[in-house]
Amino acid sequence: MLKQLKFAAAAVALALAGPLAAQDGEPQAGGTLNVVIQPEPPGLMIGLIQNGPTQMVAGDIYESLLRYDFDLTPSGQLAESWTISEDGKTYTFKLHDGVTFHDGEPFTSADVKFSMDVFLRESHSRMRTYMEHVESIDTPDPLTVVFNLKQPFGPFIGIFEPGTAPMIPKHIYEGTDFANNPANNTPIGTGPFKFDEWVKGSYIHLVKNDDYYMDGKPYVDDIYYHVIPDAASRAVAYETGKVDVLPGGSIENFDVPRIRDMENTCLTDKGWEFFGPLSWIWINLNNKPMDDLKVRQAMMHALDREFAKDALWNGLGKVATGPLSSSTRFHASDTPDITYNPEKAKALLEESSYDGETIRLLGLPYGETWQRWAEAVKQNLTEIGMNVEIVPSDVAGWNQKISDRDFDLAFTYLYQYGDPALGVSRTYMSTNAAPGSPWNNVANYQNLETDKMFDEAALMASPEDRKAAYKKIQDQIVSDVPNLWLLELGFPTISRCNIKNPVNTAFGVNDGFRDVWIDKN
Amino acid sequence: MIRFILGRLVKAVFILLAILVFNFLLIHAAPGDPAAVMAGEAGAADEKFLADLRARFGLDQPLYIQLWTYLKGAIQMDLGFSYRQQMPVAELIASRLPATLLLTGVAFVLSLVLGVIAGVAASARQGSWGDTVISTLALLFYATPLFWVALMASLVFSVWLGWLPGFGYQTIGAGYTGFAHVMDVAKHLVLPASTLGLFFMAIYMRMTRASMLEVSRLDFVKTARAKGLKRSVIQRRHILRNALLPVITLAGLQAGQIFGGAILTETVFAWPGIGRLMFEAINQRDYAVILGVFYISGAMVLLFNLITDVIYVIVDPRIRLTG
């Protein structure tokens, strides 16, 4: 059924050194990269902390076994090649020879086993759930790792990136209290850059790893991550030449066209394919009148999402078609129609049980764009005859309100991690509906049929079977409208055009700047 | 004098404790906790992760025990640990405080000196065009929001003219030492310090002007004029010395308040001080850091008030200190 996937070392080397680096001439060595980081990360030990800014900086320091192209095809990082057995239960990785940690100790299969089986099981909440599918990990020799799964788990090949499965040095952490290990302040990985200095509130400095196992890489000498708390000042930092790379979300969206039009400035919205950030509005299905399907359908058709994309997001991103982002595996584009249609929305609202109650809309406290968006949604819903009140909050208050289900409608966006079993099912499974966390099934969507289909689809060995199963799931969920899907967000990475290859994989800047070089001509 | 100062210090300790208890309760009344914020930034978390975090923060304890633990530590100058920043709070504040003291100190001195000079100048010729210009400018600075001034200043002097750095404390990566470092920091200081200083300068100017005019109508000034004293002597020794008292009162109060203004200025200009530290800590519900900053800034305000009282005596020997 499942064809054996075998990648010859030569093919992998081609993919790595690859056409991306070649298209802009010969890479030049040297130079300093200045990048904005926001907010300041709480720490850089990515096995313990997984928030966005940590992932961005730590992606240069730590590596995992694989990396992923824009279409999520895996290629080798610390693994040189790998095979998946036909029953989908055994994954064998051959590691790169001659890889060392930043302190000079060799990286071996024992580090892989320790990282996956001990460290991350203990400290990484996403990995904990993924590792439930792993029966045992064998290390027949220092360069071979074998994962034995309890049952086939389709998404498994998609979890070997540094934010999910970073390789942790066993010789430093084994037998210690991970959270309080003093080494957390001087992170040590196998990556292209080494930690040098962190002046809290000002900058983080990384320097080139001269002993990196890929010849010639990395190209730049060092990286400064500048901590600049105010969005307008981050734009100024780019305009005055203090920083050269603005990762997605660094500046307010209304500043994007101005900065984009500057000389020697390039913009890309690539590099988010793995995360597939999908925005939607939670509907609190516990509250009346949102438990009425007609009300939800009316709201869905009332939202002018094209307008939101063009006016608020500078035309970047895509209008969502349902629960899966189009870059996520098994996305179906032919789901039931949820397009903007105010007439239909009004008619549906007429037939529904809605009789003028005030609906509380909780905005997302992530800056101006989201505030404006909440106002646009209020406008759309008012136009079809609904009463909407926007509830303001800060980030901590938002988290609490979502966790406590204290809202009627609430903006959010979540990552999908490339596979519906990793980042989508959590939103719609009735088993994941208990209050207490802002990322589970907050709407309290209860559909035993989709629950069952989600459970089965995750454990199917064949991609074709999974695709068919997820198509059914998407159709079902879209007809039930448990959320109002908005946009697949397009976060722009802005950089000077002479900085080559800032975004190379489905992880964007989080994948580290291994392939970046600066054209000095 | 010594007895007075000691008495005030003892009182200050109790006031500080009261501030701590009040702030502690206030912060815990806000929705959300640091575990939720940290998990929120991670984008995913299970129950175990949140429970682990809360246990590490001590948030699984009843509130009165958390308060007691905190107070016990605070009395021994142990301000707790910031899990968010992975550092002891005292160390964190100590590393950020010099930047804030530099910024607020320069802004304070600048605004006080320039404000008083402008106020004296304006009052000297009441109603003249010079007075009108100074008064109007002061009104403008007083009424304009700080963050707008900050943004415009950085737009004009940093983006358009390119004269001054628009953010930060030093040129990152330049590795300056000695005099070059001092000049580098000084250049970075110009925009934030003048932004922060403008508002307070306006206040001191208006205060000085009003106070000068008021004193100049008093009898002893008339007497001095009648004696035929020189105008400049009357201005300096008779009027200014008396007119300064209310300005000192205000400056004493504002020396504490300028910390508040620093929050905004430091955030806009990416100045690595404690104002910004507090702003971020509030957003992240980093309780230990918020309380630590309140503790330190509370102590500063009390200290400044004490200094103000002592300065009174020096400026006007008629005033007696009584505890």
Side-chain angles (χ1 to χ4, degrees):
Chain A
M1 221 162 37
L2 182 73
K3 270 171 82 181
Q4 201 168 41
L5 299 169
K6 204 164 212 166
F7 288 74
V12 173
L14 189 74
L16 290 177
L20 275 168
Q23 67 194 189
D24 285 309
E26 275 303 298
Q28 301 165 16
T32 296
L33 206 58
N34 288 290
V35 186
V36 155
I37 183 101
Q38 169 55 31
E40 186 162 28
L44 295 178
M45 207 302 163
I46 196 168
L48 297 169
I49 304 156
Q50 288 94 34
N51 73 2
T54 299
Q55 286 199 31
M56 194 170 117
V57 181
D60 288 307
I61 300 170
Y62 292 94
E63 288 178 318
S64 189
L65 299 181
L66 303 175
R67 69 199 313 227
Y68 301 83
D69 293 340
F70 295 121
D71 62 358
L72 303 181
T73 316
S75 60
Q77 176 83 329
L78 286 167
E80 211 167 43
S81 64
W82 61 97
T83 54
I84 304 171
S85 71
E86 250 175 77
D87 61 2
K89 286 167 71 175
T90 312
Y91 288 66
T92 309
F93 291 87
K94 286 279 176 201
L95 304 180
H96 247 286
D97 201 0
V99 177
T100 55
F101 282 105
H102 295 156
D103 60 354
E105 291 290 318
F107 163 75
T108 68
S109 56
D111 293 299
V112 182
K113 185 175 159 73
F114 171 76
S115 304
M116 304 288 285
D117 221 12
V118 184
F119 194 103
L120 298 173
R121 257 192 218 268
E122 167 67 30
S123 66
H124 195 307
S125 53
R126 269 194 292 129
M127 273 304 279
R128 191 156 38 235
T129 50
Y130 304 164
M131 288 303 287
E132 275 168 18
H133 299 275
V134 176
E135 177 78 57
S136 65
I137 301 174
D138 300 329
T139 53
D141 66 67
L143 296 181
T144 309
V145 187
V146 184
F147 292 87
N148 301 303
L149 271 56
K150 291 175 190 158
Q151 66 270 322
F153 179 52
F156 195 66
I157 195 65
I159 69 166
F160 293 97
E161 54 89 22
T164 312
M167 290 301 129
I168 314 286
K170 182 184 179 191
H171 63 278
I172 292 176
Y173 284 96
E174 192 175 37
T176 66
D177 171 9
F178 302 152
N180 296 314
N181 191 315
N184 295 340
N185 296 324
T186 51
I188 286 182
T190 60
F193 293 92
K194 297 200 272 194
F195 175 79
D196 176 54
E197 188 190 15
W198 183 353
V199 178
K200 296 257 168 150
S202 283
Y203 64 89
I204 300 168
H205 185 214
L206 306 184
V207 295
K208 178 180 184 165
N209 174 8
D210 288 318
D211 300 321
Y212 195 58
Y213 55 95
M214 280 178 201
D215 276 344
K217 289 185 183 183
Y219 302 110
V220 296
D221 293 333
D222 57 349
I223 305 173
Y224 282 98
Y225 285 98
H226 298 248
V227 182
I228 307 172
D230 180 67
S233 301
R234 292 194 285 274
V236 168
Y238 184 84
E239 288 177 284
T240 53
K242 291 289 166 82
V243 300
D244 304 312
V245 182
L246 295 170
S250 295
I251 56 175
E252 291 287 0
N253 268 320
F254 52 72
D255 271 341
V256 168
R258 185 166 58 89
I259 302 286
R260 179 181 56 197
D261 293 342
M262 281 176 65
E263 214 179 306
N264 187 27
T265 295
C266 288
L267 179 148
T268 176
D269 63 349
K270 281 182 155 320
W272 290 90
E273 293 77 4
F274 176 78
F275 302 106
L278 184 70
S279 56
W280 66 76
I281 295 176
W282 290 116
I283 302 176
N284 192 341
L285 299 172
N286 295 339
N287 292 5
K288 279 187 190 313
M290 276 79 68
D291 55 349
D292 181 348
L293 177 64
K294 288 230 165 87
V295 175
R296 302 200 297 272
Q297 285 171 333
M299 291 193 289
M300 189 71 248
H301 287 295
L303 301 182
D304 191 350
R305 300 174 295 159
E306 284 288 347
F307 167 81
K309 188 183 87 176
D310 294 335
L312 299 168
W313 292 91
N314 300 304
L316 296 170
K318 277 183 196 163
V319 170
T321 57
L324 262 69
S325 201
S326 57
S327 64
T328 303
R329 280 189 201 100
F330 314 121
H331 164 79
S333 51
D334 52 346
T335 43
D337 170 50
I338 52 169
T339 48
Y340 177 54
N341 188 342
E343 293 314 313
K344 192 171 171 187
K346 272 182 208 160
L348 280 162
L349 198 66
E350 279 295 307
E351 296 167 29
S352 75
S353 59
Y354 180 73
D355 53 3
E357 301 97 316
T358 301
I359 309 286
R360 291 169 303 151
L361 172 64
L362 185 61
L364 194 59
Y366 285 178
E368 291 286 331
T369 305
W370 293 93
Q371 285 178 31
R372 296 292 97 80
W373 205 353
E375 284 158 18
V377 163
K378 177 180 173 172
Q379 177 75 24
N380 281 159
L381 295 180
T382 309
E383 276 161 11
I384 64 159
M386 295 184 79
N387 277 321
V388 178
E389 172 197 36
I390 296 175
V391 181
S393 75
D394 69 348
V395 175
W398 182 89
N399 273 309
Q400 175 118 29
K401 281 198 161 69
I402 296 281
S403 299
D404 295 349
R405 310 287 202 263
D406 180 16
F407 64 91
D408 294 326
L409 301 175
F411 274 88
T412 194
Y413 75 90
L414 261 69
Y415 288 169
Q416 307 210 320
Y417 305 110
D419 194 291
L422 303 184
V424 179
S425 59
R426 58 176 172 167
T427 304
Y428 304 99
M429 299 279 281
S430 61
T431 47
N432 199 27
S437 137
W439 313 275
N440 54 19
N441 178 357
V442 169
N444 195 19
Y445 175 56
Q446 304 278 348
N447 187 332
L448 297 179
E449 208 177 317
T450 50
D451 283 0
K452 193 162 154 272
M453 286 194 283
F454 265 125
D455 279 336
E456 287 168 1
L459 304 180
M460 287 174 183
S462 142
E464 289 80 29
D465 293 351
R466 293 191 74 203
K467 190 172 175 62
Y470 284 119
K471 161 74 176 134
K472 267 199 218 159
I473 293 174
Q474 289 172 73
D475 285 345
Q476 181 61 50
I477 292 179
V478 172
S479 346
D480 286 346
V481 206
N483 311 327
L484 308 174
W485 297 285
L486 300 170
L487 297 177
E488 299 177 12
L489 299 175
F491 293 118
T493 301
I494 297 172
S495 58
R496 312 251 181 242
C497 295
N498 62 333
I499 293 182
K500 307 296 181 188
N501 309 330
V503 170
N504 303 300
T505 68
F507 297 83
V509 288
N510 284 12
D511 198 45
F513 293 118
R514 186 189 84 178
D515 302 324
V516 169
W517 58 278
I518 301 170
D519 190 349
K520 297 185 197 70
N521 299 323
Chain B
M1 177 81 111
I2 305 279
R3 252 188 77 189
F4 165 77
I5 293 175
L6 284 178
R8 283 284 293 267
L9 285 176
V10 172
K11 273 189 196 164
V13 170
F14 286 101
I15 296 174
L16 261 185
L17 280 179
I19 291 175
L20 276 187
V21 173
F22 182 70
N23 284 328
F24 184 91
L25 297 175
L26 206 62
I27 293 164
H28 281 81
D33 68 28
V37 176
M38 283 179 83
E41 287 171 342
D46 54 10
E47 298 301 317
K48 180 183 180 323
F49 183 74
L50 280 169
D52 282 358
L53 276 178
R54 295 211 166 97
R56 272 168 69 194
F57 292 133
L59 293 171
D60 48 352
Q61 308 279 331
L63 196 62
Y64 67 92
I65 292 189
Q66 291 183 47
L67 175 61
W68 176 238
T69 314
Y70 187 78
L71 286 181
K72 254 193 333 200
I75 289 165
Q76 298 158 27
M77 286 311 289
D78 171 12
L79 298 183
F81 191 83
S82 164
Y83 288 98
R84 168 77 203 190
Q85 309 256 9
Q86 297 287 318
M87 255 172 129
V89 173
E91 211 175 290
L92 195 61
I93 290 178
S95 74
R96 295 289 197 97
L97 196 57
T100 295
L101 289 179
L102 179 67
L103 173 65
T104 52
V106 169
F108 179 71
V109 172
L110 204 75
S111 60
L112 190 58
V113 171
L114 294 181
V116 169
I117 291 176
V120 171
S123 71
R125 292 179 187 279
Q126 190 191 2
S128 70
W129 65 267
D131 180 26
T132 312
V133 168
I134 295 175
S135 299
T136 311
L137 277 179
L139 193 67
L140 201 67
F141 293 152
Y142 182 72
T144 316
L146 254 178
F147 72 89
W148 192 83
V149 176
L151 286 175
M152 287 305 124
S154 97
L155 184 68
V156 172
F157 295 104
S158 188
V159 179
W160 290 354
L161 299 171
W163 291 350
L164 293 163
F167 66 93
Y169 170 79
Q170 56 180 336
T171 310
I172 289 166
Y176 292 129
T177 50
F179 184 68
H181 175 68
V182 173
M183 284 312 291
D184 186 42
V185 173
K187 254 169 89 177
H188 281 82
L189 188 61
V190 175
L191 287 183
S194 35
T195 305
L196 182 57
L198 273 183
F199 174 77
F200 293 98
M201 189 173 97
I203 295 179
Y204 299 137
M205 181 268 149
R206 286 154 54 92
M207 191 81 189
T208 309
R209 181 177 175 278
S211 185
M212 290 285 284
L213 290 176
E214 194 185 319
V215 176
S216 67
R217 285 190 207 101
L218 296 180
D219 287 344
F220 73 93
V221 178
K222 286 180 191 154
T223 313
R225 279 206 196 102
K227 281 199 297 188
L229 283 180
K230 275 211 308 211
R231 197 184 145 80
S232 61
V233 175
I234 298 176
Q235 282 277 338
R236 204 174 59 240
R237 300 204 33 197
H238 290 79
I239 305 181
L240 182 60
R241 201 158 177 173
N242 285 289
L244 271 184
L245 282 177
V247 179
I248 292 169
T249 314
L250 197 70
L253 286 173
Q254 247 138 31
Q257 229 185 54
I258 206 164
F259 263 69
I263 295 179
L264 223 100
T265 317
E266 286 181 359
T267 302
V268 174
F269 289 104
W271 192 263
I274 63 167
R276 204 179 112 198
L277 183 68
M278 174 149 92
F279 179 70
E280 282 162 10
I282 287 174
N283 276 330
Q284 293 152 353
R285 299 290 188 271
D286 195 344
Y287 297 141
V289 174
I290 305 172
L291 289 171
V293 175
F294 278 146
Y295 191 28
I296 297 299
S297 53
M300 293 276 180
V301 171
L302 291 170
L303 186 71
F304 284 130
N305 285 349
L306 181 58
I307 293 174
T308 314
D309 287 347
V310 173
I311 290 178
Y312 270 174
V313 184
I314 298 167
V315 175
D316 190 341
R318 287 171 301 177
I319 296 173
R320 292 270 174 276
L321 292 175
T322 46

